[in-house]
Amino acid sequence: MNPLIKRLLFAAAVGAWLASVGCGLAIVLAYENRPGAAAHAPVRWPAATALRAAADRPTLVFLAHPQCSCTRASLEELAQVLARVPRSPKTYVVFLKPTGLAADWEKTDLWRAAESLPNVALVRDDDGIEARRFGVETSGQTLLYDRGGRLVFSGGITGSRGHGGENAGETALISLLTRGSANGRTPNVYGCPLFANGAP
Amino acid sequence: MSSKRAETLFAQYQHDIHVRTDRLFSGLMALQWIAGIVFAVWVSPLAWYGAYSRTHIHVWAAVFLGGAICLFPAALGVLRPGRPSTRYTIAVGQMLVGALLIHLTGGRLETHFHVFGSLAFLAFYRDWRVLIPATIVVALDHMLRGIFWPQSVYGVLVASHWRWVEHAAWVVFEDIFLIVSCRRSLAEMKNTADRTAALEQEIQTRHQAEQALAGLVDQLRIAQRQAESATRAKSDFLASMSHELRTPLNAIILYSELLQEEDADAPRGQTIRALQRITSSGKHLLELINGVLDLSKIEAGKMTLSLDHFDISGMIRQVVDTVGPLVHQHQNTLSLSCPDHIGTMYADSMKTGQILLNLLGNAAKFTRNGTIALEVAYEGSGPFAAVLFTVSDTGIGMTPEQVSKIFEPFTQADVRTPRKYGGTGLGLTIASRYAKLMGGSLSVESRPGAGSRFTLRLPAEVIETVEEKVVVKIA
């Protein structure tokens, strides 16, 4: 074969390779930056919930799907938030447990990670009753109610799906817990849908 | 020669390293791909939707995107090892693996070590140029993601658009050491190639010397055998010579005594026959002794040339007149071919005539009822002009072995020759030496039963100094 044609073919192959890699990266990036469904959380602490809000400090509710690998980063960020504030809020980590699944289905590494956090109460949410009461549809959704039971924060605490590190939600939450005010109180949440109707 | 060989060896070493490293990277690429899949299946096998799940996109990304990044360079490493384009593609692929890894880990500091490890691995090529595309990929990746999505590469929400320069600078920092390392390694490799080439050259020279020595030893053996053969021939000749000297001497003595005893009584005719035999024996003896003396003088370097201008035609006529009776003795015909105005030559006319007489005499002796031809011709012009005398016959001819020895002293074509055909066995040796003395040559072509063809080539102008050279050569 003509050497020039050979070179052109090789260059075309390299170009196609780089293009396919670029497309693949774009798909992954798009997925990781696609937020989950935002919560429609009640602006005041829901009366129907079995959870008890604290009167002396803010109450934080973190709702999670125990099998969602993306939520691992959210839980790590929660740990960061709790470690960095001078006084921890009353914290509930509510794990979904759909009906009809095996016993201890929810006892995953996420459960154990949450269990190891200090001053955190773990709640098994059978069939997502509590999630529905708080209007939450996506794992990793974090809600913060102040001492008066008013919703002051609702959103995610990761910058993207499964990615830890500094992000707008985490910063706002820390700011609220330390100074009582923050910008951007409804950042996107990245995680698995808690209910099947959230499936794409 | 040695330098060229050193360059070839150096290029070969480099190619071997490139091929080996390409294959190593092919393995590494495949390993990274598989490891990525295993890691994805382990960390995030499923994406959940309430109670339902399906394969996580990370698994598919590990399979397809990881495959796209890793398998193309890996395939090049297997299919086109050793080519610059292969290792440059591998370098880009390896850094893309690092970029994907940094991305998937959210820009974890620890993951950046993959970049530095990959650069060190690329240095295995000992080709610093391969670090250039790798560094460009890292810099571009950090620049683009630093601008559009800093968290994925720096792990922070907001970063300076120039932070990629800091990252690239650290990569260049490592590059500097790797480049120095590559260059030193290449210098060592070059040194090894030089030494190997020199060693090969030495071995070759030694081998050639050994071969030359073996050749010399062989030549010495041949010379020794020839010397032994010559000694034997000389001994045989001397034995024969003794006989040859004794026979005519005996005849001379015998017939002298007979003449004395039968002085008065013998009839007149008997006395004349006896005197004829005495004369014949004496002439033969004289011829023999003259031959030995001439050869001795030539071998001692004392033979001198009497150079003069002479008419070639005249010299040829004298030779033909002299040899005529001998030619016709065995019913042979003599054919002479000589241009009418061939002119003169500057040589020793006596020795030239003696050579021709010897050649024609031999032709006459070994030919019965045949033709003997003498051709004379001029060849060339100016200082390289030569006169060619060709004597051919239709006689008994010679075998190649006989031809090879015909000009050697004390050697005749056949040991039975002297008895059957007469002669001393010195004629052709002396003729050949005379030709060489005059700066010419005497050669022969012959086949058994097909006659012989002697060619005497003499310079038209014999130079005085030739004699000295020949003398030295003979000595």
Side-chain angles (χ1 to χ4, degrees), chain B residues 403-436:
Chain B
V403 167
S404 69
K405 292 179 177 176
I406 198 72
F407 296 121
E408 288 180 15
F410 309 111
T411 305
Q412 283 194 310
D414 195 308
V415 290
R416 293 160 299 183
T417 300
R419 288 189 184 87
K420 192 172 178 185
Y421 296 101
T424 62
L426 288 171
L428 281 174
T429 308
I430 293 168
S432 171
R433 298 294 169 90
Y434 279 172
K436 283 183 182 173

PDB file of all heavy atoms in Angstrom, chain B residues 403-436:
ATOM      1  N   VAL B 403      51.674 -29.098 -18.555  1.00  0.00           N
ATOM      2  CA  VAL B 403      51.760 -27.664 -18.896  1.00  0.00           C
ATOM      3  C   VAL B 403      52.181 -26.853 -17.676  1.00  0.00           C
ATOM      4  O   VAL B 403      52.993 -25.933 -17.760  1.00  0.00           O
ATOM      5  CB  VAL B 403      50.395 -27.166 -19.432  1.00  0.00           C
ATOM      6  CG1 VAL B 403      50.352 -25.640 -19.492  1.00  0.00           C
ATOM      7  CG2 VAL B 403      50.151 -27.728 -20.821  1.00  0.00           C
ATOM      8  N   SER B 404      51.612 -27.246 -16.491  1.00  0.00           N
ATOM      9  CA  SER B 404      51.899 -26.460 -15.284  1.00  0.00           C
ATOM     10  C   SER B 404      53.370 -26.531 -14.885  1.00  0.00           C
ATOM     11  O   SER B 404      53.852 -25.683 -14.148  1.00  0.00           O
ATOM     12  CB  SER B 404      51.020 -26.945 -14.129  1.00  0.00           C
ATOM     13  OG  SER B 404      51.424 -28.240 -13.740  1.00  0.00           O
ATOM     14  N   LYS B 405      54.069 -27.551 -15.347  1.00  0.00           N
ATOM     15  CA  LYS B 405      55.466 -27.709 -14.920  1.00  0.00           C
ATOM     16  C   LYS B 405      56.469 -27.445 -16.033  1.00  0.00           C
ATOM     17  O   LYS B 405      57.681 -27.563 -15.807  1.00  0.00           O
ATOM     18  CB  LYS B 405      55.678 -29.135 -14.404  1.00  0.00           C
ATOM     19  CG  LYS B 405      54.933 -29.427 -13.118  1.00  0.00           C
ATOM     20  CD  LYS B 405      55.185 -30.847 -12.694  1.00  0.00           C
ATOM     21  CE  LYS B 405      54.506 -31.152 -11.378  1.00  0.00           C
ATOM     22  NZ  LYS B 405      54.659 -32.560 -11.003  1.00  0.00           N
ATOM     23  N   ILE B 406      55.976 -27.079 -17.210  1.00  0.00           N
ATOM     24  CA  ILE B 406      56.836 -27.085 -18.384  1.00  0.00           C
ATOM     25  C   ILE B 406      57.966 -26.067 -18.315  1.00  0.00           C
ATOM     26  O   ILE B 406      59.026 -26.258 -18.876  1.00  0.00           O
ATOM     27  CB  ILE B 406      55.971 -26.883 -19.664  1.00  0.00           C
ATOM     28  CG1 ILE B 406      56.755 -27.313 -20.905  1.00  0.00           C
ATOM     29  CG2 ILE B 406      55.522 -25.451 -19.795  1.00  0.00           C
ATOM     30  CD1 ILE B 406      56.922 -28.788 -21.016  1.00  0.00           C
ATOM     31  N   PHE B 407      57.705 -24.959 -17.553  1.00  0.00           N
ATOM     32  CA  PHE B 407      58.735 -23.929 -17.481  1.00  0.00           C
ATOM     33  C   PHE B 407      59.617 -24.046 -16.240  1.00  0.00           C
ATOM     34  O   PHE B 407      60.473 -23.215 -15.999  1.00  0.00           O
ATOM     35  CB  PHE B 407      58.103 -22.531 -17.510  1.00  0.00           C
ATOM     36  CG  PHE B 407      57.382 -22.233 -18.803  1.00  0.00           C
ATOM     37  CD1 PHE B 407      56.036 -21.928 -18.814  1.00  0.00           C
ATOM     38  CD2 PHE B 407      58.072 -22.261 -20.021  1.00  0.00           C
ATOM     39  CE1 PHE B 407      55.376 -21.676 -20.007  1.00  0.00           C
ATOM     40  CE2 PHE B 407      57.408 -21.997 -21.211  1.00  0.00           C
ATOM     41  CZ  PHE B 407      56.066 -21.717 -21.207  1.00  0.00           C
ATOM     42  N   GLU B 408      59.329 -25.058 -15.417  1.00  0.00           N
ATOM     43  CA  GLU B 408      60.144 -25.208 -14.212  1.00  0.00           C
ATOM     44  C   GLU B 408      61.500 -25.789 -14.578  1.00  0.00           C
ATOM     45  O   GLU B 408      61.600 -26.642 -15.462  1.00  0.00           O
ATOM     46  CB  GLU B 408      59.436 -26.133 -13.215  1.00  0.00           C
ATOM     47  CG  GLU B 408      58.228 -25.481 -12.577  1.00  0.00           C
ATOM     48  CD  GLU B 408      57.548 -26.404 -11.598  1.00  0.00           C
ATOM     49  OE1 GLU B 408      58.169 -27.423 -11.207  1.00  0.00           O
ATOM     50  OE2 GLU B 408      56.389 -26.111 -11.237  1.00  0.00           O
ATOM     51  N   PRO B 409      62.546 -25.329 -13.879  1.00  0.00           N
ATOM     52  CA  PRO B 409      63.876 -25.855 -14.188  1.00  0.00           C
ATOM     53  C   PRO B 409      64.008 -27.323 -13.803  1.00  0.00           C
ATOM     54  O   PRO B 409      63.326 -27.783 -12.878  1.00  0.00           O
ATOM     55  CB  PRO B 409      64.809 -24.976 -13.352  1.00  0.00           C
ATOM     56  CG  PRO B 409      63.978 -24.470 -12.245  1.00  0.00           C
ATOM     57  CD  PRO B 409      62.608 -24.327 -12.810  1.00  0.00           C
ATOM     58  N   PHE B 410      64.799 -28.020 -14.532  1.00  0.00           N
ATOM     59  CA  PHE B 410      65.086 -29.448 -14.292  1.00  0.00           C
ATOM     60  C   PHE B 410      63.851 -30.300 -14.416  1.00  0.00           C
ATOM     61  O   PHE B 410      63.722 -31.337 -13.788  1.00  0.00           O
ATOM     62  CB  PHE B 410      65.715 -29.662 -12.904  1.00  0.00           C
ATOM     63  CG  PHE B 410      66.878 -28.773 -12.627  1.00  0.00           C
ATOM     64  CD1 PHE B 410      66.802 -27.773 -11.683  1.00  0.00           C
ATOM     65  CD2 PHE B 410      68.065 -28.911 -13.342  1.00  0.00           C
ATOM     66  CE1 PHE B 410      67.869 -26.944 -11.434  1.00  0.00           C
ATOM     67  CE2 PHE B 410      69.134 -28.071 -13.098  1.00  0.00           C
ATOM     68  CZ  PHE B 410      69.044 -27.086 -12.147  1.00  0.00           C
ATOM     69  N   THR B 411      62.852 -29.819 -15.166  1.00  0.00           N
ATOM     70  CA  THR B 411      61.612 -30.578 -15.318  1.00  0.00           C
ATOM     71  C   THR B 411      61.286 -30.686 -16.797  1.00  0.00           C
ATOM     72  O   THR B 411      61.376 -29.712 -17.534  1.00  0.00           O
ATOM     73  CB  THR B 411      60.447 -29.868 -14.602  1.00  0.00           C
ATOM     74  OG1 THR B 411      60.809 -29.654 -13.249  1.00  0.00           O
ATOM     75  CG2 THR B 411      59.188 -30.705 -14.666  1.00  0.00           C
ATOM     76  N   GLN B 412      60.882 -31.904 -17.176  1.00  0.00           N
ATOM     77  CA  GLN B 412      60.406 -32.073 -18.539  1.00  0.00           C
ATOM     78  C   GLN B 412      58.995 -32.611 -18.492  1.00  0.00           C
ATOM     79  O   GLN B 412      58.518 -33.079 -17.450  1.00  0.00           O
ATOM     80  CB  GLN B 412      61.314 -33.043 -19.295  1.00  0.00           C
ATOM     81  CG  GLN B 412      62.624 -32.390 -19.720  1.00  0.00           C
ATOM     82  CD  GLN B 412      63.352 -33.214 -20.742  1.00  0.00           C
ATOM     83  OE1 GLN B 412      63.532 -34.397 -20.530  1.00  0.00           O
ATOM     84  NE2 GLN B 412      63.762 -32.603 -21.832  1.00  0.00           N
ATOM     85  N   ALA B 413      58.285 -32.488 -19.632  1.00  0.00           N
ATOM     86  CA  ALA B 413      56.891 -32.932 -19.656  1.00  0.00           C
ATOM     87  C   ALA B 413      56.780 -34.382 -19.229  1.00  0.00           C
ATOM     88  O   ALA B 413      55.869 -34.768 -18.513  1.00  0.00           O
ATOM     89  CB  ALA B 413      56.308 -32.738 -21.045  1.00  0.00           C
ATOM     90  N   ASP B 414      57.720 -35.175 -19.609  1.00  0.00           N
ATOM     91  CA  ASP B 414      57.679 -36.598 -19.319  1.00  0.00           C
ATOM     92  C   ASP B 414      59.109 -37.057 -19.053  1.00  0.00           C
ATOM     93  O   ASP B 414      60.037 -36.649 -19.761  1.00  0.00           O
ATOM     94  CB  ASP B 414      57.094 -37.350 -20.521  1.00  0.00           C
ATOM     95  CG  ASP B 414      56.689 -38.762 -20.148  1.00  0.00           C
ATOM     96  OD1 ASP B 414      57.556 -39.470 -19.583  1.00  0.00           O
ATOM     97  OD2 ASP B 414      55.534 -39.135 -20.410  1.00  0.00           O
ATOM     98  N   VAL B 415      59.272 -37.910 -18.045  1.00  0.00           N
ATOM     99  CA  VAL B 415      60.637 -38.370 -17.722  1.00  0.00           C
ATOM    100  C   VAL B 415      61.236 -39.183 -18.867  1.00  0.00           C
ATOM    101  O   VAL B 415      62.450 -39.310 -18.985  1.00  0.00           O
ATOM    102  CB  VAL B 415      60.655 -39.211 -16.423  1.00  0.00           C
ATOM    103  CG1 VAL B 415      60.382 -38.323 -15.230  1.00  0.00           C
ATOM    104  CG2 VAL B 415      59.642 -40.338 -16.509  1.00  0.00           C
ATOM    105  N   ARG B 416      60.352 -39.724 -19.728  1.00  0.00           N
ATOM    106  CA  ARG B 416      60.858 -40.526 -20.850  1.00  0.00           C
ATOM    107  C   ARG B 416      61.216 -39.652 -22.042  1.00  0.00           C
ATOM    108  O   ARG B 416      61.763 -40.117 -23.019  1.00  0.00           O
ATOM    109  CB  ARG B 416      59.804 -41.546 -21.274  1.00  0.00           C
ATOM    110  CG  ARG B 416      59.554 -42.607 -20.220  1.00  0.00           C
ATOM    111  CD  ARG B 416      58.243 -43.272 -20.432  1.00  0.00           C
ATOM    112  NE  ARG B 416      57.141 -42.325 -20.349  1.00  0.00           N
ATOM    113  CZ  ARG B 416      55.877 -42.655 -20.444  1.00  0.00           C
ATOM    114  NH1 ARG B 416      55.528 -43.894 -20.644  1.00  0.00           N
ATOM    115  NH2 ARG B 416      54.935 -41.742 -20.351  1.00  0.00           N
ATOM    116  N   THR B 417      60.873 -38.362 -21.944  1.00  0.00           N
ATOM    117  CA  THR B 417      61.073 -37.463 -23.078  1.00  0.00           C
ATOM    118  C   THR B 417      62.524 -37.416 -23.564  1.00  0.00           C
ATOM    119  O   THR B 417      62.767 -37.538 -24.766  1.00  0.00           O
ATOM    120  CB  THR B 417      60.577 -36.056 -22.716  1.00  0.00           C
ATOM    121  OG1 THR B 417      59.197 -36.150 -22.408  1.00  0.00           O
ATOM    122  CG2 THR B 417      60.754 -35.085 -23.875  1.00  0.00           C
ATOM    123  N   PRO B 418      63.493 -37.250 -22.651  1.00  0.00           N
ATOM    124  CA  PRO B 418      64.870 -37.114 -23.144  1.00  0.00           C
ATOM    125  C   PRO B 418      65.310 -38.305 -23.988  1.00  0.00           C
ATOM    126  O   PRO B 418      65.954 -38.155 -25.004  1.00  0.00           O
ATOM    127  CB  PRO B 418      65.695 -37.009 -21.872  1.00  0.00           C
ATOM    128  CG  PRO B 418      64.754 -36.567 -20.819  1.00  0.00           C
ATOM    129  CD  PRO B 418      63.442 -37.136 -21.193  1.00  0.00           C
ATOM    130  N   ARG B 419      64.899 -39.497 -23.512  1.00  0.00           N
ATOM    131  CA  ARG B 419      65.359 -40.682 -24.244  1.00  0.00           C
ATOM    132  C   ARG B 419      64.678 -40.784 -25.596  1.00  0.00           C
ATOM    133  O   ARG B 419      65.253 -41.176 -26.587  1.00  0.00           O
ATOM    134  CB  ARG B 419      65.096 -41.936 -23.410  1.00  0.00           C
ATOM    135  CG  ARG B 419      66.031 -42.031 -22.214  1.00  0.00           C
ATOM    136  CD  ARG B 419      65.916 -43.377 -21.520  1.00  0.00           C
ATOM    137  NE  ARG B 419      66.750 -43.381 -20.335  1.00  0.00           N
ATOM    138  CZ  ARG B 419      66.373 -42.965 -19.162  1.00  0.00           C
ATOM    139  NH1 ARG B 419      65.153 -42.508 -19.001  1.00  0.00           N
ATOM    140  NH2 ARG B 419      67.202 -42.998 -18.139  1.00  0.00           N
ATOM    141  N   LYS B 420      63.354 -40.463 -25.595  1.00  0.00           N
ATOM    142  CA  LYS B 420      62.590 -40.650 -26.828  1.00  0.00           C
ATOM    143  C   LYS B 420      62.808 -39.528 -27.832  1.00  0.00           C
ATOM    144  O   LYS B 420      62.933 -39.748 -29.021  1.00  0.00           O
ATOM    145  CB  LYS B 420      61.097 -40.755 -26.468  1.00  0.00           C
ATOM    146  CG  LYS B 420      60.231 -41.227 -27.615  1.00  0.00           C
ATOM    147  CD  LYS B 420      58.820 -41.480 -27.137  1.00  0.00           C
ATOM    148  CE  LYS B 420      57.932 -41.908 -28.288  1.00  0.00           C
ATOM    149  NZ  LYS B 420      56.542 -42.047 -27.853  1.00  0.00           N
ATOM    150  N   TYR B 421      62.814 -38.291 -27.291  1.00  0.00           N
ATOM    151  CA  TYR B 421      62.856 -37.139 -28.198  1.00  0.00           C
ATOM    152  C   TYR B 421      64.154 -36.345 -28.091  1.00  0.00           C
ATOM    153  O   TYR B 421      64.355 -35.388 -28.824  1.00  0.00           O
ATOM    154  CB  TYR B 421      61.697 -36.182 -27.914  1.00  0.00           C
ATOM    155  CG  TYR B 421      60.340 -36.812 -28.171  1.00  0.00           C
ATOM    156  CD1 TYR B 421      59.567 -37.292 -27.129  1.00  0.00           C
ATOM    157  CD2 TYR B 421      59.856 -36.925 -29.476  1.00  0.00           C
ATOM    158  CE1 TYR B 421      58.339 -37.865 -27.359  1.00  0.00           C
ATOM    159  CE2 TYR B 421      58.614 -37.501 -29.708  1.00  0.00           C
ATOM    160  CZ  TYR B 421      57.858 -37.968 -28.658  1.00  0.00           C
ATOM    161  OH  TYR B 421      56.640 -38.529 -28.886  1.00  0.00           O
ATOM    162  N   GLY B 422      64.991 -36.678 -27.118  1.00  0.00           N
ATOM    163  CA  GLY B 422      66.222 -35.921 -26.967  1.00  0.00           C
ATOM    164  C   GLY B 422      65.997 -34.653 -26.188  1.00  0.00           C
ATOM    165  O   GLY B 422      64.933 -34.428 -25.626  1.00  0.00           O
ATOM    166  N   GLY B 423      67.024 -33.805 -26.141  1.00  0.00           N
ATOM    167  CA  GLY B 423      66.908 -32.538 -25.420  1.00  0.00           C
ATOM    168  C   GLY B 423      67.432 -32.638 -24.010  1.00  0.00           C
ATOM    169  O   GLY B 423      67.624 -33.741 -23.481  1.00  0.00           O
ATOM    170  N   THR B 424      67.618 -31.466 -23.434  1.00  0.00           N
ATOM    171  CA  THR B 424      68.211 -31.426 -22.093  1.00  0.00           C
ATOM    172  C   THR B 424      67.191 -31.171 -21.007  1.00  0.00           C
ATOM    173  O   THR B 424      67.479 -31.340 -19.830  1.00  0.00           O
ATOM    174  CB  THR B 424      69.255 -30.303 -22.026  1.00  0.00           C
ATOM    175  OG1 THR B 424      68.569 -29.069 -22.267  1.00  0.00           O
ATOM    176  CG2 THR B 424      70.343 -30.496 -23.048  1.00  0.00           C
ATOM    177  N   GLY B 425      65.996 -30.700 -21.389  1.00  0.00           N
ATOM    178  CA  GLY B 425      64.999 -30.348 -20.378  1.00  0.00           C
ATOM    179  C   GLY B 425      65.222 -28.958 -19.815  1.00  0.00           C
ATOM    180  O   GLY B 425      64.546 -28.556 -18.867  1.00  0.00           O
ATOM    181  N   LEU B 426      66.157 -28.239 -20.373  1.00  0.00           N
ATOM    182  CA  LEU B 426      66.415 -26.889 -19.875  1.00  0.00           C
ATOM    183  C   LEU B 426      65.982 -25.811 -20.854  1.00  0.00           C
ATOM    184  O   LEU B 426      65.921 -24.632 -20.517  1.00  0.00           O
ATOM    185  CB  LEU B 426      67.914 -26.711 -19.600  1.00  0.00           C
ATOM    186  CG  LEU B 426      68.451 -27.452 -18.382  1.00  0.00           C
ATOM    187  CD1 LEU B 426      69.964 -27.365 -18.364  1.00  0.00           C
ATOM    188  CD2 LEU B 426      67.883 -26.871 -17.117  1.00  0.00           C
ATOM    189  N   GLY B 427      65.695 -26.223 -22.073  1.00  0.00           N
ATOM    190  CA  GLY B 427      65.428 -25.251 -23.132  1.00  0.00           C
ATOM    191  C   GLY B 427      64.293 -24.296 -22.814  1.00  0.00           C
ATOM    192  O   GLY B 427      64.459 -23.069 -22.871  1.00  0.00           O
ATOM    193  N   LEU B 428      63.131 -24.825 -22.445  1.00  0.00           N
ATOM    194  CA  LEU B 428      61.974 -23.956 -22.181  1.00  0.00           C
ATOM    195  C   LEU B 428      62.182 -23.131 -20.921  1.00  0.00           C
ATOM    196  O   LEU B 428      61.715 -21.998 -20.824  1.00  0.00           O
ATOM    197  CB  LEU B 428      60.704 -24.789 -22.055  1.00  0.00           C
ATOM    198  CG  LEU B 428      60.099 -25.227 -23.388  1.00  0.00           C
ATOM    199  CD1 LEU B 428      58.925 -26.173 -23.158  1.00  0.00           C
ATOM    200  CD2 LEU B 428      59.638 -24.019 -24.187  1.00  0.00           C
ATOM    201  N   THR B 429      62.874 -23.720 -19.935  1.00  0.00           N
ATOM    202  CA  THR B 429      63.157 -22.958 -18.719  1.00  0.00           C
ATOM    203  C   THR B 429      64.004 -21.741 -19.065  1.00  0.00           C
ATOM    204  O   THR B 429      63.704 -20.610 -18.652  1.00  0.00           O
ATOM    205  CB  THR B 429      63.916 -23.839 -17.709  1.00  0.00           C
ATOM    206  OG1 THR B 429      63.185 -25.043 -17.542  1.00  0.00           O
ATOM    207  CG2 THR B 429      64.075 -23.133 -16.381  1.00  0.00           C
ATOM    208  N   ILE B 430      65.049 -21.981 -19.872  1.00  0.00           N
ATOM    209  CA  ILE B 430      65.938 -20.874 -20.241  1.00  0.00           C
ATOM    210  C   ILE B 430      65.190 -19.871 -21.125  1.00  0.00           C
ATOM    211  O   ILE B 430      65.304 -18.656 -20.947  1.00  0.00           O
ATOM    212  CB  ILE B 430      67.187 -21.428 -20.955  1.00  0.00           C
ATOM    213  CG1 ILE B 430      68.018 -22.234 -19.952  1.00  0.00           C
ATOM    214  CG2 ILE B 430      68.021 -20.318 -21.562  1.00  0.00           C
ATOM    215  CD1 ILE B 430      69.108 -23.071 -20.587  1.00  0.00           C
ATOM    216  N   ALA B 431      64.355 -20.393 -22.061  1.00  0.00           N
ATOM    217  CA  ALA B 431      63.591 -19.505 -22.936  1.00  0.00           C
ATOM    218  C   ALA B 431      62.670 -18.604 -22.114  1.00  0.00           C
ATOM    219  O   ALA B 431      62.572 -17.393 -22.349  1.00  0.00           O
ATOM    220  CB  ALA B 431      62.764 -20.329 -23.915  1.00  0.00           C
ATOM    221  N   SER B 432      62.001 -19.215 -21.130  1.00  0.00           N
ATOM    222  CA  SER B 432      61.096 -18.439 -20.277  1.00  0.00           C
ATOM    223  C   SER B 432      61.860 -17.380 -19.497  1.00  0.00           C
ATOM    224  O   SER B 432      61.418 -16.239 -19.358  1.00  0.00           O
ATOM    225  CB  SER B 432      60.382 -19.398 -19.330  1.00  0.00           C
ATOM    226  OG  SER B 432      59.678 -18.686 -18.372  1.00  0.00           O
ATOM    227  N   ARG B 433      63.036 -17.746 -18.972  1.00  0.00           N
ATOM    228  CA  ARG B 433      63.847 -16.780 -18.199  1.00  0.00           C
ATOM    229  C   ARG B 433      64.347 -15.653 -19.099  1.00  0.00           C
ATOM    230  O   ARG B 433      64.399 -14.497 -18.677  1.00  0.00           O
ATOM    231  CB  ARG B 433      65.028 -17.484 -17.538  1.00  0.00           C
ATOM    232  CG  ARG B 433      64.620 -18.553 -16.548  1.00  0.00           C
ATOM    233  CD  ARG B 433      63.901 -17.928 -15.338  1.00  0.00           C
ATOM    234  NE  ARG B 433      63.291 -18.935 -14.506  1.00  0.00           N
ATOM    235  CZ  ARG B 433      63.921 -19.531 -13.481  1.00  0.00           C
ATOM    236  NH1 ARG B 433      65.168 -19.216 -13.219  1.00  0.00           N
ATOM    237  NH2 ARG B 433      63.301 -20.416 -12.763  1.00  0.00           N
ATOM    238  N   TYR B 434      64.719 -15.993 -20.314  1.00  0.00           N
ATOM    239  CA  TYR B 434      65.175 -14.950 -21.255  1.00  0.00           C
ATOM    240  C   TYR B 434      64.033 -13.957 -21.536  1.00  0.00           C
ATOM    241  O   TYR B 434      64.240 -12.738 -21.554  1.00  0.00           O
ATOM    242  CB  TYR B 434      65.622 -15.570 -22.573  1.00  0.00           C
ATOM    243  CG  TYR B 434      67.030 -16.145 -22.562  1.00  0.00           C
ATOM    244  CD1 TYR B 434      67.507 -16.894 -23.636  1.00  0.00           C
ATOM    245  CD2 TYR B 434      67.888 -15.935 -21.493  1.00  0.00           C
ATOM    246  CE1 TYR B 434      68.781 -17.418 -23.642  1.00  0.00           C
ATOM    247  CE2 TYR B 434      69.168 -16.461 -21.479  1.00  0.00           C
ATOM    248  CZ  TYR B 434      69.616 -17.204 -22.556  1.00  0.00           C
ATOM    249  OH  TYR B 434      70.866 -17.716 -22.565  1.00  0.00           O
ATOM    250  N   ALA B 435      62.836 -14.509 -21.740  1.00  0.00           N
ATOM    251  CA  ALA B 435      61.683 -13.635 -22.012  1.00  0.00           C
ATOM    252  C   ALA B 435      61.449 -12.683 -20.843  1.00  0.00           C
ATOM    253  O   ALA B 435      61.211 -11.490 -21.020  1.00  0.00           O
ATOM    254  CB  ALA B 435      60.438 -14.478 -22.257  1.00  0.00           C
ATOM    255  N   LYS B 436      61.544 -13.218 -19.641  1.00  0.00           N
ATOM    256  CA  LYS B 436      61.339 -12.373 -18.451  1.00  0.00           C
ATOM    257  C   LYS B 436      62.452 -11.348 -18.325  1.00  0.00           C
ATOM    258  O   LYS B 436      62.212 -10.205 -17.923  1.00  0.00           O
ATOM    259  CB  LYS B 436      61.287 -13.237 -17.194  1.00  0.00           C
ATOM    260  CG  LYS B 436      59.962 -13.953 -17.042  1.00  0.00           C
ATOM    261  CD  LYS B 436      59.922 -14.735 -15.756  1.00  0.00           C
ATOM    262  CE  LYS B 436      58.601 -15.481 -15.645  1.00  0.00           C
ATOM    263  NZ  LYS B 436      58.608 -16.385 -14.486  1.00  0.00           N
TER     264      LYS B 436
END
